[in-house]
Amino acid sequence: MLKILKTRFQQKYRTLSYPDGPAPEMPLRFAGRPVLDPGCQAGCGACRSACPTGAIMAAPAGGTLSLDTGRCLFCRACEKSCPQGLIRFSRDHGLASATRQGLVIETGAVQTVSARNELAATLFARSLKLRQVSAGGCNACEADCNVLGTPAWDIGRFGIQFVASPRHADGLLVTGPVTDNMRLALEKTYAAVPDPKIVIAVGACAISGGPYAEHAEQHNGASSVVPVDLFIPGCPPHPLTILDGLLKLSGRITAVENS
Amino acid sequence: MAPSSDWVMIGNNEAIGLKAIAAVSFERFRQAVIEAVAGEARLSALPVWSPGDSGGLRVIAVLSLPQRGELGLLSAALPDRWPSLTPHCPAAHWFEREIAEQWGLTPEGHPWLKPIRFQPCRRHPDGGSRSACAGLTDFFAMAGQESHEVAVGPVHAGIIEPGHFRFLCHGETVYHLEISLGYQHRGIERAMTGGPVPRSVHYMETLAGDTTIGHVTAYSHLLEALAGATVPARGKAIRAIAAELERIANHVGDLGALAGDVGFLPTRDYCGRIRGDVLNMTAAVCGNRFGRGLIRPGRVQWDLDGGLTEDLLARLDAVEKDVTGAVPLMLDTPSVLARLEGTGVVSSETARDIGMVGVAARASGLECHVCAEFPYGIYRLAQLPVNTWTGGDCAARTYVRWFEVQASIDFLRHQLLELPAGPVDRKLSPMAPESLAVSLVEGWRGEICHVAATDRESRFAFYKVVDPSFHNWFGLALALRGQQISDFPLCNKSFSLSYCGHDL
């Protein structure tokens, strides 16, 4: 008993002060929200051929590029390939969007992306119970959702909790591209959640299929099977990116302008 | 028993021309594999592929021969039906089921032939051999007044990957546990064929996301072997640093989860956080907590410069202090030990027979560890001690994890202090055509085996991945025999196997 108390004392109080205090600092080499600088002579296409998932598109008008963070693996292949150095990854962790279109970053544009959901911000504002379904996820997104329950992140303090049964849940948090072998299980789990309900797609796989997009063995993400209310990009998203998305969803923090 | 002279020997991460691999009759092949595995050899992979020109299928046995430090290769034409190896060589059990499912063939006399992944058949993609639905297959049944079945999954109570578990019980006692997987199948091996393409390395990084470093290291070694090159010493050291960070993070996480499953909350909470501190060290190296983007064939993409080594050493000291407080706290508590000891026993004979590897095998007393048996990269110069235990129970698997955490911390500190100077990359020439290479890596779960062969155009004719979980899932099923269902979470966590690494 005394040893337990002594260890408790040594391990200290570690819960983050965020969002009341400052957000924890991201690693210097972290690949967060991409920034596309104007001035692309459009045509070399090096970034598009370097991208493993087709996340980079040229605007039909020509000249400008856009990057779909829903497909992006944040691997920096485009950043390395650009001869003009116009693509870079900032350390901004805020990536979540309530709409699929909101994940597309345009060249030089100042975008305000909303991740707020009326249902989550009203009915579920003080208590949001989620059932997690891994549908082909590689256990990285799963692990960084799990970590939100540890004392450092402690999402319980926001009334958010991962529950054991869909019957106890207000919504689903889906990871993985939705493999063919998990499709039925995901449909049944969704059906078992009482109405009204929300769905959150976490990670490139759950948003677009990620590296497995267009494979016959999967379904290019959660929205092929269930309606999605919040998209949180990354491969996997940093725990802070996931937390940021959940807090914006329920209106606890608001989106700031991203430029 | 020394393997017969038919076997062609190569080293770990060594390429060989396909034509140099002896091709024998299938009957001789079968006998040779059975005899070798009855001796000292481990069956590390049994890839099958269609060379195309002849129309038939070929099988290659990849044996690990730890006492020689070499890998044995033997090949044969694979018939549509053959007398199953499994009754004489239980370690072939899962491999034969895999081959039967992937190619629509029949190992006759296989004791329990059913799909392991519910994936489309490669020879008849539209054929009827595929079950209509994952998990829809035969299961063992038991009749009697007190007998009953409990089915769990694919969707589980916690945040974990999907798998279906069926317990056959009599009263409170579990007679057998059947594990039905395949829910995570994403078609990685199929998509690797004809590569490499820009996505290939991302398949490897997400094949089992918690083993990003382990699998991408094996992939890089394979490509480097086929191109006849190795990375400079500094690159090798950085790869090993990342691998040991991965080992520490996962082991600490599992130790915490084990504490949680026995209801000892202090260690659960501390370890959950300490695991994050270790993942953040990996993120300091490459920006990603799982090591995505760090390792590529021929190079590492991030160097340890600008004071990063000092930063990592300071963080390592803090992790060591915290983990040395958190884990012994659990292991010094009699009620925790009482729950772990004698639970989920796998004897060393069983572990050996079914071909278990890694932490679980070492906890059953088997001294198998790729870093010591088939050293690669910086492990050729720096030793990582092999820790074993004899109980084969949950306590043994817990202790082995804890010893490995301590050994990895020492190894890491040494590597960070003695980091070789020089470049971290080397230009790779194209892969040799019509060649085969094998790469073994000791991931945090155990032996990772990647085997690939190239065609005339130096593209992958096949790419075979054997995650340690492939060998060990059946061990978990056997560990549950004679236990109670309430022991399952503990046994499951003490094995801590990968679903997606198995399902591919």
Side-chain angles (χ1 to χ4, degrees):
Chain A
M1 187 65 201
L2 286 175
K3 199 173 171 191
I4 293 177
L5 290 173
K6 182 171 157 248
T7 311
R8 176 70 197 84
F9 182 71
Q10 285 169 344
Q11 299 277 342
K12 304 191 192 94
Y13 178 84
R14 308 274 191 152
T15 305
L16 300 171
S17 60
Y18 177 81
D20 297 332
E25 196 170 339
M26 301 305 273
L28 285 171
R29 293 171 173 182
F30 175 72
R33 190 178 179 79
V35 178
L36 307 177
D37 290 332
C40 172
Q41 302 305 314
C44 92
C47 51
R48 271 177 290 155
S49 34
C51 179
T53 54
I56 299 180
M57 299 150 292
T64 63
L65 292 170
S66 58
L67 194 160
D68 180 0
T69 55
R71 288 169 174 261
C72 182
L73 304 180
F74 296 81
C75 70
R76 295 182 185 267
C78 53
E79 187 183 50
K80 287 195 182 72
S81 73
C82 179
Q84 294 177 269
L86 298 175
I87 305 175
R88 59 197 164 83
F89 286 82
S90 72
R91 283 164 71 201
D92 180 0
H93 64 269
L95 293 163
S97 166
T99 61
R100 183 70 184 80
Q101 190 53 37
L103 300 178
V104 179
I105 310 250
E106 307 285 349
T107 300
V110 177
Q111 291 163 275
T112 307
V113 178
S114 172
R116 186 184 157 95
N117 176 282
E118 266 320 296
L119 191 58
T122 53
L123 187 61
F124 303 141
R126 294 168 70 96
S127 168
L128 176 63
K129 307 294 173 191
L130 295 170
R131 170 65 266 185
Q132 204 278 327
V133 179
S134 170
C138 74
N139 206 23
C141 287
E142 289 80 354
D144 271 350
C145 288
N146 239 333
V147 90
L148 294 178
T150 61
W153 299 91
D154 189 22
I155 48 164
R157 63 198 161 116
F158 307 111
I160 305 171
Q161 189 192 354
F162 291 102
V163 293
S165 167
R167 303 271 189 217
H168 305 158
D170 304 311
L172 298 182
L173 188 151
V174 184
T175 53
V178 186
T179 52
D180 203 29
N181 285 346
M182 268 305 282
R183 185 190 173 116
L184 180 63
L186 176 59
E187 285 171 351
K188 284 187 174 179
T189 309
Y190 179 75
V193 177
D195 280 321
K197 50 194 163 189
I198 58 167
V199 177
I200 302 164
V202 171
C205 287
I207 298 173
S208 66
Y212 304 99
E214 310 310 327
H215 278 210
E217 295 86 350
Q218 56 79 57
H219 294 279
N220 291 342
S223 46
S224 62
V225 180
V226 291
V228 176
D229 302 291
L230 179 68
F231 300 89
I232 304 179
C235 186
H238 192 278
L240 186 60
T241 302
I242 304 175
L243 179 61
D244 168 83
L246 294 174
L247 295 180
K248 282 177 181 160
L249 179 83
S250 53
R252 279 170 200 273
I253 56 174
T254 47
V256 289
E257 273 196 350
N258 292 301
S259 57
Chain B
M1 190 189 302
S4 69
S5 56
D6 288 336
W7 295 92
V8 176
M9 297 293 164
I10 59 168
N12 187 13
N13 304 321
E14 197 180 305
I16 183 172
L18 273 174
K19 292 195 173 70
I21 302 169
V24 295
S25 72
F26 187 80
E27 184 44 37
R28 198 159 155 187
F29 172 89
R30 180 177 178 276
Q31 275 309 321
V33 172
I34 290 171
E35 279 170 25
V37 176
E40 52 147 320
R42 270 203 312 267
L43 187 55
S44 286
L46 202 59
V48 170
W49 90 107
S50 167
D53 41 6
S54 63
L57 295 176
R58 294 206 72 80
V59 58
I60 290 186
V62 180
L63 293 185
S64 305
L65 298 154
Q67 289 174 16
R68 299 174 59 135
E70 287 183 307
L71 307 166
L73 302 173
L74 190 63
S75 128
L78 187 66
D80 282 359
R81 312 179 80 82
W82 66 90
S84 170
L85 281 71
T86 302
H88 311 282
C89 173
H93 167 207
W94 223 256
F95 286 110
E96 285 196 309
R97 278 173 62 174
E98 178 186 46
I99 294 169
E101 179 179 16
Q102 287 184 339
W103 300 97
L105 308 172
T106 313
E108 289 172 327
H110 189 288
W112 199 218
L113 191 60
K114 56 183 219 169
I116 62 169
R117 297 196 184 98
F118 300 89
Q119 66 178 102
C121 174
R122 291 196 192 160
R123 279 210 305 182
H124 318 286
D126 311 316
S129 69
R130 191 183 181 201
S131 176
C133 174
L136 207 62
T137 180
D138 293 331
F139 286 89
F140 285 124
M142 201 164 76
Q145 212 171 14
E146 281 189 73
S147 72
H148 59 101
E149 291 178 14
V150 176
V152 183
V155 179
H156 297 287
I159 306 181
I160 56 169
E161 297 175 67
H164 180 70
F165 300 87
R166 204 173 284 198
F167 299 88
L168 273 183
C169 306
H170 183 262
E172 294 288 321
T173 309
V174 177
Y175 271 63
H176 189 59
L177 160 65
E178 274 207 80
I179 301 173
S180 187
L181 301 174
Y183 296 95
Q184 302 282 67
H185 180 62
R186 296 151 291 169
I188 290 174
E189 287 183 352
R190 177 190 59 71
M192 286 297 287
T193 310
V197 292
R199 277 197 201 184
S200 300
V201 75
H202 298 284
Y203 294 137
M204 296 296 121
E205 287 190 327
T206 56
L207 190 156
D210 49 30
T211 319
T212 296
I213 297 296
H215 278 288
V216 82
T217 300
Y219 170 74
S220 299
H221 284 167
L222 206 57
L223 260 71
E224 288 154 14
L226 287 163
T230 56
V231 294
R234 190 177 176 87
K236 285 177 183 161
I238 293 173
R239 285 179 179 182
I241 287 166
E244 296 315 316
L245 285 172
E246 186 168 270
R247 199 181 316 277
I248 297 169
N250 282 293
H251 281 352
V252 169
D254 282 340
L255 288 165
L258 275 161
D261 280 340
V262 301
F264 192 73
L265 303 187
T267 300
R268 181 198 67 171
D269 284 350
Y270 305 146
C271 284
R273 178 188 56 72
I274 298 164
R275 175 181 166 279
D277 291 346
V278 183
L279 293 178
N280 287 340
M281 289 170 73
T282 304
V285 175
C286 69
N288 183 290
R289 284 157 54 92
F290 296 85
R292 306 264 157 98
L294 175 59
I295 297 172
R296 290 291 180 269
R299 64 188 197 276
V300 293
Q301 302 211 99
W302 297 98
D303 200 354
L304 297 185
D305 43 19
L308 198 49
T309 16
E310 292 73 22
D311 176 38
L312 288 175
L313 279 165
R315 291 186 193 214
L316 188 64
D317 288 342
V319 163
E320 184 177 36
K321 182 164 171 282
D322 285 350
V323 82
T324 311
V327 178
L329 185 65
M330 163 172 81
L331 297 174
D332 287 347
T333 303
S335 59
V336 171
L337 291 180
R339 185 72 187 88
L340 295 172
E341 285 174 353
T343 305
V345 176
V346 179
S347 71
S348 57
E349 294 74 31
T350 304
R352 171 75 185 76
D353 285 348
I354 63 172
M356 272 166 56
V357 297
V359 171
R362 290 193 284 279
S364 292
L366 303 187
E367 285 189 34
C368 52
H369 198 299
V370 176
C371 291
E373 297 167 338
F374 310 96
Y376 53 88
I378 210 74
Y379 298 102
R380 294 171 79 102
L381 306 171
Q383 205 184 5
L384 192 62
V386 181
N387 291 290
T388 61
W389 201 257
T390 48
D393 54 2
C394 289
R397 291 183 284 273
T398 305
Y399 278 117
V400 169
R401 284 205 159 75
W402 172 229
F403 295 147
E404 293 191 8
V405 167
Q406 297 170 80
S408 290
I409 289 174
D410 288 344
F411 180 91
L412 256 183
R413 186 172 288 120
H414 180 77
Q415 288 303 317
L416 286 166
L417 288 170
E418 309 276 323
L419 194 63
V424 294
D425 57 348
R426 176 151 297 157
K427 183 126 183 69
L428 284 190
S429 44
M431 297 193 293
E434 299 194 295
S435 299
L436 176 140
V438 181
S439 176
L440 294 183
V441 163
E442 187 73 21
W444 64 274
R445 284 192 181 90
E447 176 187 297
I448 292 169
C449 179
H450 286 208
V451 189
T454 49
D455 61 16
R456 279 192 202 105
E457 282 79 46
S458 294
R459 314 298 293 179
F460 289 134
F462 72 85
Y463 196 98
K464 182 85 217 132
V465 176
V466 186
D467 187 85
S469 310
F470 188 90
H471 299 282
N472 284 5
W473 274 111
F474 191 56
L476 172 60
L478 296 182
L480 249 283
R481 288 192 175 175
Q483 306 292 300
Q484 303 200 342
I485 291 182
S486 55
D487 295 324
F488 176 69
L490 209 49
C491 292
N492 190 24
K493 190 41 78 181
S494 73
F495 274 81
S496 191
L497 302 177
S498 174
Y499 300 74
C500 53
H502 171 276
D503 293 347
L504 300 175

